[in-house]
Amino acid sequence: MHDIIFGMAKFNSQNYGIGKTANIKSIKRGINLLEYIYFEKGISTFELSNRYDYSKKILSMFVKKYNCKLNIFYKIDKLTIRKIKFLEVMDDLKKTQDSLKINNFANITLHQNEYKIISNKKILLLLEQLKKSKLTKLLGTSIYSKNELLYSINQNLFDTIQIPVSPANSYLYNIFSSQNIKKKIIARSIFLQGSLLNKITSHKFKFEINQLKSKVNYLSKKYNISYNKTINHFVQNLKNIDYILLGSSNKKNINKFLKSYKLDKNLMNDIIKISSKNEKWKNIKN
């Protein structure tokens, strides 16, 4: 089983992704979900961002209530080449560090998937300073393109690379797997923002998504397995994944995903074949 990171994006925005969501804007319900994740499911690693103010508030309340120790993966963005506000970044990190009672971050990710940003010398210097300050154990990038991936692989400063991986999209995963490099991969968008698990009623790429779902359903039946099992366990069965980012607020879906299941090797190969192309509709930025 890969290490699971619980993403806190939905705590900050109820409209994040596709599908039904629990009302975690209620503090009581938010704490209840965290209790389920931490105590019942044994997940102690969480992902936050400098943009997730409400998420940080709820997680901080949870830590204060139970005095628990968490591993925090943290995303930073909104950096500009002209004016890099190092002190502001440090201030945000230290405030988050204090509110969650952590000695340091498990990982800090530059979540600004622009080649000119992740390769900029001034920004790289800022990230190097963060690591030297011992605020974080690991540094990484969150990327969408082949150029960004190859740069991240070859830049020694980065320890982790976060990429979209799902039964719809194995393009970047396949490129990484072909490289002889030891870096940790974090899989995100594992259900294509929920569109692979839920009915699509309104989406500009509705046709493409439903076409892919039909192909996965056909292959699942061919190997005598349900569509949902294939969708839930595809990423778990990929060998070059170190962490999986899970962002659901639905306890039923979380429970299904966390059950270990070995998929047929031939089914895995077939899914990788149909998901290997780099297509515009697979990128949530579009």
Side-chain angles (χ1 to χ4, degrees):
M1 186 72 175
H2 306 289
D3 289 341
I4 304 298
I5 305 168
F6 187 75
M8 298 287 289
K10 275 205 171 186
F11 283 74
N12 225 65
S13 173
Q14 293 285 284
N15 297 321
Y16 186 84
I18 296 170
K20 294 180 180 179
T21 182
N23 179 17
I24 46 181
K25 275 295 182 183
S26 154
I27 289 176
K28 184 178 179 181
R29 290 182 181 179
I31 294 290
N32 176 262
L33 179 59
L34 290 175
E35 289 169 342
Y36 175 76
I37 292 296
Y38 184 81
F39 293 111
E40 293 190 39
K41 295 303 168 185
I43 298 172
S44 58
T45 302
F46 295 81
E47 186 190 69
L48 290 168
S49 163
N50 57 322
R51 293 178 284 108
Y52 299 172
D53 291 334
Y54 187 76
S55 300
K56 286 192 272 189
K57 177 184 175 181
I58 289 230
L59 196 57
S60 177
M61 292 173 69
F62 178 76
V63 168
K64 187 176 180 180
K65 181 177 181 179
Y66 292 108
N67 193 31
C68 49
K69 298 295 181 184
L70 306 179
N71 301 309
I72 302 298
F73 280 55
Y74 200 78
K75 287 179 176 177
I76 57 173
D77 62 7
K78 296 183 179 178
L79 299 180
T80 60
I81 294 173
R82 288 185 179 181
K83 193 174 182 181
I84 301 172
K85 300 176 181 178
F86 178 74
L87 291 179
E88 285 187 16
V89 172
M90 288 292 288
D91 184 58
D92 173 65
L93 289 170
K94 289 192 173 181
K95 282 180 180 177
T96 303
Q97 183 183 24
D98 291 341
S99 69
L100 297 176
K101 299 179 181 179
I102 56 174
N103 294 324
N104 50 33
F105 293 89
N107 183 71
I108 291 178
T109 295
L110 178 57
H111 186 56
Q112 204 161 334
N113 42 283
E114 300 171 62
Y115 184 85
K116 66 180 181 180
I117 293 290
I118 69 170
S119 62
N120 180 264
K121 290 182 180 179
K122 290 182 180 179
I123 289 176
L124 291 173
L125 181 61
L126 180 150
L127 295 174
E128 190 174 357
Q129 287 176 292
L130 290 180
K131 203 166 188 180
K132 284 182 178 178
S133 71
K134 297 185 178 179
L135 263 177
T136 183
K137 295 177 183 177
L138 303 172
L139 273 176
T141 53
S142 176
I143 56 92
Y144 283 94
S145 73
K146 179 180 179 180
N147 285 344
E148 293 162 2
L149 174 61
L150 294 178
Y151 181 81
S152 299
I153 287 172
N154 293 314
Q155 172 52 254
N156 292 331
L157 183 62
F158 299 131
D159 309 293
T160 65
I161 307 172
Q162 189 175 125
I163 61 174
V165 189
S166 73
N169 187 4
S170 64
Y171 172 66
L172 294 176
Y173 172 81
N174 293 334
I175 295 173
F176 176 82
S177 297
S178 69
Q179 307 291 311
N180 185 24
I181 190 78
K182 290 184 179 180
K183 295 208 174 188
K184 294 182 182 296
I185 286 291
I186 304 168
R188 71 161 186 273
S189 304
I190 60 172
F191 302 126
L192 204 63
Q193 306 307 107
S195 63
L196 299 181
L197 288 175
N198 299 282
K199 187 176 181 181
I200 304 296
T201 55
S202 178
H203 196 291
K204 64 178 179 178
F205 295 121
K206 177 181 175 180
F207 174 79
E208 290 85 353
I209 293 170
N210 284 335
Q211 189 176 52
L212 182 280
K213 289 165 79 171
S214 293
K215 290 178 181 178
V216 174
N217 189 47
Y218 169 79
L219 289 171
S220 298
K221 286 181 178 179
K222 178 180 175 181
Y223 291 97
N224 198 29
I225 185 175
S226 71
Y227 169 86
N228 282 336
K229 272 193 176 178
T230 301
I231 294 298
N232 270 297
H233 300 291
F234 172 77
V235 175
Q236 289 183 22
N237 278 260
L238 294 172
K239 65 178 182 178
N240 293 319
I241 299 291
D242 297 282
Y243 302 96
I244 298 175
L245 182 60
L246 178 64
S248 177
S249 62
N250 184 309
K251 290 181 182 179
K252 188 177 179 181
N253 286 343
I254 293 169
N255 192 48
K256 283 181 181 178
F257 174 78
L258 292 177
K259 289 181 179 177
S260 181
Y261 190 88
K262 183 76 172 175
L263 292 179
D264 187 286
K265 184 178 180 180
N266 293 321
L267 171 59
M268 288 294 296
N269 290 335
D270 285 348
I271 298 292
I272 287 171
K273 283 178 186 176
I274 66 170
S275 63
S276 62
K277 289 183 180 179
N278 183 26
E279 297 173 283
K280 183 179 178 180
W281 63 272
K282 297 176 181 181
N283 188 339
I284 61 167
K285 290 175 64 182
N286 295 323

